[in-house]
Amino acid sequence: MENLVYFEYAIAGIIRYWLLNSDYKQIIGDRVEISTPLNSWKKVTEGVYLYNEGIDPYSGDDFHETPLGLFIFEKMIHHIPQCIGVIFILCDLLTAHILYQTAKAFMNELYSRQTKEKSKYAKDAGSLLLKKPDLALPPVYVASAYLFNPYIIFSCVGQTTTVFANFCLALTYLSMIKGKRIICCSILALATFQSMYPATLLVPASIYLAQADEKSLDGNKPLRIRNFMTTIIVFLTALMLLLSISSQLAEISKLINTIKLLLNVPDLRPNVGLFWYFFTEMFENFRLLFICAFQINAALLYLVPLTLRLHGEPMLLAASLTALMAIFKSYPSLGDVGFYLALLPMWKHLFNYMQQGFVVGCFFLTTSVMGPIVWHLWIYSRSANANFYFGVTLAFATAQIFLVTDILFAYIKREFSLYHGMRREVNGKTTKLVLE
């Protein structure tokens, strides 16, 4: 199985290298579904050029990277410009390998937890249990889903900084499941420093890191609470350290410039998200109200209810929050969507309980094809308007919401069947659970 994965790495690397050196690179990099004001490599190069010319790149409204990001990218462009494409490819392949290792650890964890709780399961739930052979394929599927997902490939070929953001998220997942508190909090702080929304992953990370010390805690609640507090303190310390480093590189107001872009959404160029169209049509008097509503929906609204329901399954909680982040944040891209789609094979054992797979698949395929077509009709042919393109992005977001709710409901149905048995009767009649 390991040899198969390494073969996939080689094929995926060749595909990315060929596209990076083809005429399609510029076309892909200019697509609004791939590049946003926050992750565009073209904006990075413009900012670095202005910086090298002694012009403040933050003086306008076109550069939104953090001062730390500007420093790192300036070194890359100045010292190793010929290797930048290779760096993007290697980072993408390394992200896939980290997700592969994460999936392996998660499957072993699932099997270990099943072994401990097997005595609590219903007698007729044997067919639902994971077998040893079932643990081998999901990690390979995870790596494949990342390596060969067109959304991820296009994001790499377009040289978006989402490639580095996905690397940070993958490393957060791996260190989280391995119980490495300092690494997990430091990488999560770096991801939060870049785009703010990953801060929600501190909740599942805290749960996982507390579970890692559970044996030594012996169920002691005060010590468990102390464990949560330690995780939060380490995260905040890492975040303060990043702020301190950035303040040494540039004025703190430059960092605020990036945060303002995320919160206020001043750049309304179309993307695969929902913000741009609403705030194009919004009356200025109501802008603050709807900004608050949209940002709460993207960052906080689902955090508490999902945590209360999935506190025993923190990896699914983390994946759900990552998916909701990709759907509702202010400047999403297809690279964000491709990342959480690659995580889904870890719950392959839930696929039999999913009901919306065909509908979601058709939506994804249709919207992925129709997006560029409608964009061409709107921008170039002038035979369509913004409503057409927003209709596609709205359908795309709807498909993602269907997918998230379907996988969560599948988890609940399987959990119910494990503890209560396969047969369900109401008034003597056989029934089944359906999603209303």
Side-chain angles (χ1 to χ4, degrees), residues 38 66 68 164-165 168-169 172 184-203 205 235-236 238-240 242-243 255 258-259 262 325:
L38 196 64
T66 62
L68 181 59
F164 304 118
C168 289
L169 287 178
T172 299
C184 178
C185 292
S186 299
I187 300 298
L188 182 57
L190 182 60
T192 302
F193 189 68
Q194 175 63 27
S195 65
M196 185 182 70
Y197 295 103
T200 57
L201 296 180
L202 182 61
V203 175
F235 172 78
L236 292 177
L239 198 57
M240 291 299 107
L242 289 170
L243 285 170
L255 179 62
T258 303
I259 298 174
L262 288 167
M325 185 196 319

Side-chain angles (χ1 to χ4, degrees), residues 167-179:
F167 173 76
C168 289
L169 287 178
L171 198 54
T172 299
Y173 273 76
L174 181 60
S175 55
M176 178 174 69
I177 199 169
K178 293 289 186 180

Side-chain angles (χ1 to χ4, degrees), residues 98-99 101-103 105-106 109 113 167-189 198-214 227-228 231 235 303 310-322 325 339 343 346-347:
I98 292 172
L99 291 179
Q101 295 297 332
T102 302
F106 178 66
E109 177 191 282
R113 189 193 312 163
F167 173 76
C168 289
L169 287 178
L171 198 54
T172 299
Y173 273 76
L174 181 60
S175 55
M176 178 174 69
I177 199 169
K178 293 289 186 180
K180 308 294 184 182
R181 177 176 286 105
I182 294 178
I183 298 176
C184 178
C185 292
S186 299
I187 300 298
L188 182 57
T200 57
L201 296 180
L202 182 61
V203 175
S206 299
I207 296 173
Y208 245 127
L209 294 170
Q211 289 180 351
D213 295 338
E214 189 173 353
N227 187 288
F228 280 113
T231 302
F235 172 78
L303 182 60
L310 300 174
H311 65 275
E313 188 69 38
M315 182 59 75
L316 183 58
L317 172 61
S320 301
L321 292 175
T322 303
M325 185 196 319
F339 180 83
L343 299 173
M346 288 195 286
W347 293 277

